[in-house]
Amino acid sequence: MEFFYTAIDVLVSIVTLLGGGLAVWGVVNLLEGYGNDNPGAKSQGIKQLMAGVGIAMIALLLIPELKTLF
């Protein structure tokens, strides 16, 4: 079972990093949209930011619950 718990911890780390990366990419697009006064880039940036935060929240809240299933 120790391997399973370690795998879940690694999965949490990977998914959190992916969500954080997407959120940072969204912030960059959002700032680029404000800098160029481009509403399309602003919209895409806010969507990426919210998606990244959502993925990180899933990684921090739901994936650790897999440990309680077994």
Side-chain angles (χ1 to χ4, degrees), residues 7-19 59-60 63:
I8 289 175
D9 291 337
V10 169
L11 182 64
V12 167
S13 298
I14 290 171
V15 175
T16 303
L17 287 173
L18 287 173
L60 295 174
I63 294 176

Side-chain angles (χ1 to χ4, degrees), residues 21-39:
L22 183 61
V24 169
W25 189 9
V27 168
V28 168
N29 281 339
L30 184 63
L31 293 176
E32 182 181 337
Y34 278 115
N36 295 333
D37 196 29
N38 184 353

Side-chain angles (χ1 to χ4, degrees), residues 45-68:
I46 198 70
K47 288 176 189 175
Q48 286 175 333
L49 175 63
M50 291 296 116
V53 169
I55 290 171
M57 293 298 291
I58 286 171
L60 295 174
L61 298 176
L62 293 180
I63 294 176
E65 294 296 320
L66 292 174
K67 291 180 182 178
T68 62

